[in-house]
Amino acid sequence: MFCMKVSGPSGQMEWIRGGPNCLDSRNISEGIDNSLSRLQTDYIDLYQIHWPDRYVPMFGEFDYDPSRQFNSVSVEEQLDALGRAVAAGKIRYVGLSNETPYGVMKFLETAQRVASYPKIVTVQNSYSLLCRTFNMGMAECCHHERVSLLAYSPLAMGILSGKYFSPDGGPPDARLNLFKGRYAEGESRYNLSNSTIKVAIMKYLNIAEKYRIHPIALAVGFVLRHPLVASAVFGATKHWQLQEVVDACKTELSPEIVSEIDQVHAEFPNPCP
């Protein structure tokens, strides 16, 4: 199953179609065709809008600033381009990513008005032991509208594995070490020099140790138990890492473990939003 994304305003990411400054019909169509060509396939199962083509506070931002809104591509234009791709057999289903309750409902409401516009079936947002913001509004939308969550960063870029707490600071080829100073969003969001984040992680690691389960099993098991989660999105560069996550998917957390997790969350709510 192929799941791909198309990104809009990409900031410094100039390697994405020359750094597009909008997610218009041309960029969506070009992104789909390029992906099909690279993958050498006839269709993509799930095609997602990577982040909104409008101002939205994200990656650790909390406050909405109306003055930062810019002239964005309409939802109608985006759905029209996606609908034409569905009609042509290039993609089967569409989804969103890094979205808000407003965005999800706007796409759903717009799709209801035009028969050729596809309905959003998934949203790929961050969800982990350190980030439960999905439950603060998105969960209600997704539950009533039958939209599934694809939870990304279930291991919070690996910091929930505990590997960065070793005396040497973790393997040199671990992502936060390998790309240190070159990944501003990740380093700020999962900043281990932040005492709140560090203490929260240690408490979760202590729960895993107490119940004799791997920290990865605790983190992945927590995410997969959410009734709206259809899949957890993670990265692995080594076979043994992939195997650890596959094994973790079999974990079922007891009510006692969940209760202790909730106690930590109540004390340190969403340190990595």
Side-chain angles (χ1 to χ4, degrees), residues 5-27:
K5 291 181 177 179
V6 59
S7 67
S10 56
Q12 75 270 24
M13 298 182 185
E14 296 181 358
W15 61 87
I16 302 177
R17 299 188 310 284
N21 56 17
C22 66
L23 193 57
D24 57 10
S25 178
R26 181 186 66 81
N27 270 299

Side-chain angles (χ1 to χ4, degrees), residues 3 6 10 21 52 59 67 80-81 114 122 131 133 182 202 227 258:
C3 301
V6 59
S10 56
N21 56 17
F59 306 138
S67 68
D80 180 67
V114 181
T122 62
C131 177
T133 54
R182 292 160 38 185
M202 288 305 303
V258 174

Side-chain angles (χ1 to χ4, degrees), residues 1-5 39 44-48 122 124 150:
M1 180 175 181
F2 285 121
C3 301
M4 303 296 293
K5 291 181 177 179
L39 292 168
I44 297 166
D45 295 282
L46 176 66
Y47 203 68
Q48 305 160 88
T122 62
Q124 183 172 315
L150 306 182

Side-chain angles (χ1 to χ4, degrees), residues 55 57-65 133 136 269-273:
Y55 161 67
M58 65 176 75
F59 306 138
E61 294 182 328
F62 290 98
D63 297 322
Y64 181 83
D65 181 0
T133 54
M136 298 168 63
N270 302 315
C272 299

Side-chain angles (χ1 to χ4, degrees), residues 122-144:
T122 62
V123 59
Q124 183 172 315
N125 279 25
S126 177
Y127 187 73
S128 70
L129 289 169
L130 301 175
C131 177
R132 298 200 207 180
T133 54
F134 172 81
N135 289 331
M136 298 168 63
M138 285 289 292
E140 181 182 13
C141 293
C142 291
H143 169 67
H144 290 294

